[in-house]
């Protein structure tokens, strides 16, 4: 099997940089490889900016600098805090998977509006991940991370006091926005704390495992607590606790571009996502209705406006030239189809099983733990595949295993047989673990090292755009069929097809090199 991709930026990681002095000079790291002499600071500053050449600049130095040979303070503490915050964010994200029936009943939410209860957080994530990643690189990853973690704690606790569908949805959108800040800056902090390719592989592998761990723990915690309101209060307190530890454990880093924040880009992109998600959610009641068509048209126009803004601004949220860069395309496609095929299905599947098989929230949580727990274990172990299987081949294999797993579950809901679900949960869980392990590494390796937070934000933006669309699509398919069993089978088939498309898209991006 092919080894790691020789063209990824991880093989040209910039020399370590200081976090103690913004005015210190950069000294070239000692190296025995004469070919790397071209990467010296003098050579780097003389080059034409990569944006003008239509390709990413792999040699731009992350600043502030530090003396050659010095190691960043507390890389283990950085990994622990960012992984814990990521797990809490994903627990908050997945808690409604098993509490949806109870939450909908308490808030008097109609069946057609239940997609909003699930889509609030991914909408906030997708709308702000790109801008959060750019702000983190420009103004400080520690600052954005701690702000996001604090906001997550406050908004999650406030969500426990919601009394209507719209209050809860707005709280969930705010939770997504806060999660965007901490998730996008997390990988930027890790790339700075672990500058070597080997250290980065270890750190992103552990971080990806905690993504799976949060997905696994969220439904279990929510199902074990007396009700959904208590669950949100507990998760809010957990986020605030991580914030307190982060203030002492994290070191600041940034890579400023000396420009203003891309506010027009953030507004047009966020509004485009709101219009798209609203159209997908309302489309369940009829795709040919005027409001749905108007929202879809607005989404297309706003995306066009976003592209125009990004081409003209000096400091864009995303360098559009990256869209011609195969590794970046593979990262974006991997994130998009993970959201569409995997997150979209498993966000609604627990609620569907509760309705169709009359399972309790706790029983559903244990069943989901089989999938998400395996995902956590596989993601944690997948770093041992380095040197044997490239991250993009891991992505393709993960999608293929997800497709095989969900196809195995066909007919299980109709038969009312819980054991028939188990083999498919196992296979899909292994596939999900490979996806969660490889996506973080692919995302940071697809951009220059100094734009790591932006690369993470871009990949996760596509992931949660796909999640919003996948949740709305899954609910529309599952609830519009003649019965839930038939709807579940159609949703499983669609998820398998999307996963197969994801595998082909990742492989196709690789082949274009």
């Amino acid at each position: 099997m092919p080894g790691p991709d020789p063209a990824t930026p991880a093989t040209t990681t910039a020399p370590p940089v200081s976090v103690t002095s913004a005015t210190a000079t950069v000294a070239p790291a000692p190296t025995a490889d004469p070919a790397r002499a071209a990467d010296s600071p003098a050579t780097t500053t003389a080059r034409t900016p990569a944006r003008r050449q239509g390709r990413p600049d792999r040699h731009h130095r992350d600043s502030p600098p530090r003396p050659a040979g010095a190691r960043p303070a507390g890389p283990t503490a950085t990994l622990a805090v960012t992984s814990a915050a990521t797990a809490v964010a994903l627990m908050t994200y997945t808690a409604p998977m098993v509490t949806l029936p109870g939450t909908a009943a308490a808030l008097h939410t109609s069946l057609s509006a239940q997609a909003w209860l699930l889509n609030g957080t991914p909408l906030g994530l997708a709308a702000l991940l790109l801008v959060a990643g750019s702000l983190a690189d420009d103004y400080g990853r520690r600052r954005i991370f701690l702000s996001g973690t604090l906001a997550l704690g406050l908004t999650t606790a406030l969500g426990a006091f919601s009394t209507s569908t719209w209050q809860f949805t707005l709280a969930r959108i705010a939770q997504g926005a806060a999660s965007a800040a901490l998730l996008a800056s997390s990988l930027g902090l890790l790339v700075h704390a672990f500058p070597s390719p080997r250290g980065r592989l270890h750190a992103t592998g552990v971080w990806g495992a905690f993504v799976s761990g949060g997905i696994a723990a969220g439904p279990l915690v929510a199902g074990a607590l007396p009700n959904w309101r208590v669950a949100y209060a507990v998760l809010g307190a957990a986020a605030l606790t991580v914030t307190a530890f982060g203030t002492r454990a994290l070191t600041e880093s940034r890579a400023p571009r000396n420009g203003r924040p891309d506010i027009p880009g953030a507004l047009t992109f966020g509004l485009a996502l709101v219009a798209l998600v609203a159209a997908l959610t309302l489309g369940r009641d009829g795709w040919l209705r005027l409001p749905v068509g108007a929202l879809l048209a607005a989404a297309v126009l706003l995306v066009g406006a976003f592209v125009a803004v990004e081409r003209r601004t000096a400091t864009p949220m995303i360098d559009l030239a990256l869209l011609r860069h195969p590794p970046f395309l593979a990262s974006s496609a991997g994130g998009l189809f993970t959201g569409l095929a995997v997150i979209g299905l498993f966000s609604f599947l627990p609620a569907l099983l509760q309705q169709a098989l009359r399972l309790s929230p706790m029983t559903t949580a244990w069943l989901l733990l089989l999938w998400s727990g395996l995902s956590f274990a596989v993601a944690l172990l997948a770093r041992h595949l380095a040197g044997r299987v490239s991250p993009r081949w891991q992505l393709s294999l993960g999608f293929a295993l997800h497709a095989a797993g969900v196809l195995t579950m066909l007919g299980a809901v109709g038969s009312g047989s819980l054991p028939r679900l188990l083999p498919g949960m196992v296979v899909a869980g292994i596939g999900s673990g490979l996806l969660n392990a490889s996506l973080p590494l692919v995302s940071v390796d697809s951009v220059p090292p100094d734009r790591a937070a932006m690369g993470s934000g871009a990949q996760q933006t596509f992931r949660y755009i796909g999640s919003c669309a996948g949740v709305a699509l899954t609910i529309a398919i599952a609830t519009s069929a003649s019965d839930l069993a038939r709807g579940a089978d159609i949703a499983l088939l669609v998820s398998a097809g999307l996963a197969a498309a994801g595998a082909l898209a990742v492989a196709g991006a690789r082949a274009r090199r």
Side-chain angles (χ1 to χ4, degrees):
M1 287 181 282
D5 184 2
T8 55
T11 60
T12 58
T13 302
V17 291
S18 173
V19 296
T20 58
S21 171
T23 59
T25 58
V26 179
T31 176
D33 185 0
R36 295 193 63 179
D39 288 346
S40 68
T43 304
T44 300
T45 55
R47 286 182 175 147
T48 302
R51 248 182 118 241
R52 299 177 188 173
Q53 299 176 8
R55 60 182 176 81
D57 179 5
R58 299 181 183 182
H59 306 285
H60 184 75
R61 298 298 191 239
D62 189 16
S63 62
R66 73 169 181 271
R71 289 183 59 81
T76 301
T78 300
L79 179 58
V81 170
T82 55
S83 297
T86 297
V88 173
L90 269 297
M91 289 169 70
T92 304
Y93 181 95
T94 57
M97 289 184 179
V98 296
T99 60
L100 181 62
T103 306
L107 302 178
H108 307 290
T109 306
S110 65
L111 184 62
S112 60
Q114 287 184 18
W116 284 111
L117 302 184
L118 293 173
N119 266 346
T121 295
L123 176 58
L125 278 161
L128 288 183
L129 271 164
L130 266 179
V131 68
S134 292
L135 289 174
D137 285 331
D138 288 334
Y139 297 101
R141 293 147 187 161
R142 177 183 182 273
R143 176 182 299 174
I144 298 299
F145 175 87
L146 292 176
S147 299
T149 310
L150 175 63
L152 177 64
L154 296 176
T155 55
T156 303
L158 288 174
F161 298 98
S162 300
T163 57
S164 68
T165 299
W166 285 109
Q167 286 179 7
F168 185 79
T169 300
L170 289 174
R172 293 282 291 170
I173 291 173
Q175 291 163 26
S179 298
L182 76 89
L183 290 173
S185 53
S186 288
L187 285 177
L189 286 166
L190 291 179
V191 168
H192 180 78
F194 295 87
S196 71
R198 181 181 179 86
R200 183 180 304 175
L201 176 67
H202 167 74
T204 55
V206 172
W207 187 88
F210 273 83
V211 170
S212 297
I215 293 172
L220 201 60
V221 170
L225 292 171
N227 56 61
W228 63 274
R229 296 186 188 275
V230 175
Y232 277 87
V234 169
L235 291 173
L240 294 175
T241 302
V242 175
T243 306
F245 280 105
T247 57
R248 300 183 62 86
L250 299 178
T251 300
E252 187 60 280
S253 67
R254 60 177 65 87
R257 296 175 292 173
N258 301 318
R260 296 178 180 179
D262 184 14
I263 295 176
L267 287 175
T268 52
F269 189 74
L271 291 173
L273 286 178
V274 171
L276 175 62
V277 174
L280 292 171
T281 303
L282 295 176
R284 179 189 173 278
D285 296 324
W287 293 101
L288 299 180
R289 294 186 302 142
L290 180 60
V292 176
L295 287 167
L296 288 174
V300 172
L301 291 174
L302 286 165
V303 168
F306 170 73
V307 172
V309 167
E310 296 304 282
R311 288 185 180 279
R312 288 167 172 77
T313 186
T315 53
M317 288 197 303
I318 180 172
D319 185 352
L320 297 179
L322 286 169
L323 296 176
R324 298 193 296 270
H325 188 49
F328 185 81
L329 288 176
S331 170
S332 301
L336 178 65
F337 282 99
T338 296
L340 282 169
V342 182
I343 302 176
L345 175 67
F346 280 96
S347 291
F348 186 64
L349 184 62
L352 189 152
L353 294 176
Q354 288 183 49
Q355 296 176 43
L357 302 181
R358 299 291 186 265
L359 301 180
S360 68
M362 198 61 196
T363 301
T364 310
W366 281 113
L367 180 63
L368 193 64
L369 182 64
L370 178 63
W371 168 74
S372 54
L374 275 169
S375 177
F376 171 77
V378 170
L380 200 59
L381 295 172
R383 65 182 185 273
H384 298 299
L385 293 175
R388 300 179 180 90
V389 183
S390 74
R392 274 178 286 164
W393 276 110
Q394 290 182 44
L395 279 180
S396 293
L397 179 58
F399 281 125
L401 289 173
H402 172 81
V406 297
L407 288 176
T408 305
M409 293 189 280
L410 287 172
V413 175
S415 67
S417 172
L418 195 61
R420 280 195 58 182
L421 290 168
L422 302 183
M425 288 282 192
V426 169
V427 176
I430 295 172
S432 176
L434 289 174
L435 293 174
N436 287 334
S438 52
L439 278 171
L441 187 60
V442 168
S443 70
V444 299
D445 280 353
S446 67
V447 296
D450 64 300
R451 308 310 298 167
M454 184 277 292
S456 169
Q459 180 264 119
Q460 292 184 78
T461 295
F462 282 105
R463 177 174 179 147
Y464 292 110
I465 290 174
S467 170
C468 289
V471 166
L473 181 64
T474 301
I475 292 178
I477 291 172
T479 59
S480 61
S482 56
D483 59 78
L484 280 177
R486 177 176 172 77
D489 284 346
I490 297 175
L492 290 169
L493 285 171
V494 170
S495 177
L498 289 170
L504 292 175
V506 171
R510 182 181 188 277
R512 284 181 52 190
R513 172 173 305 160

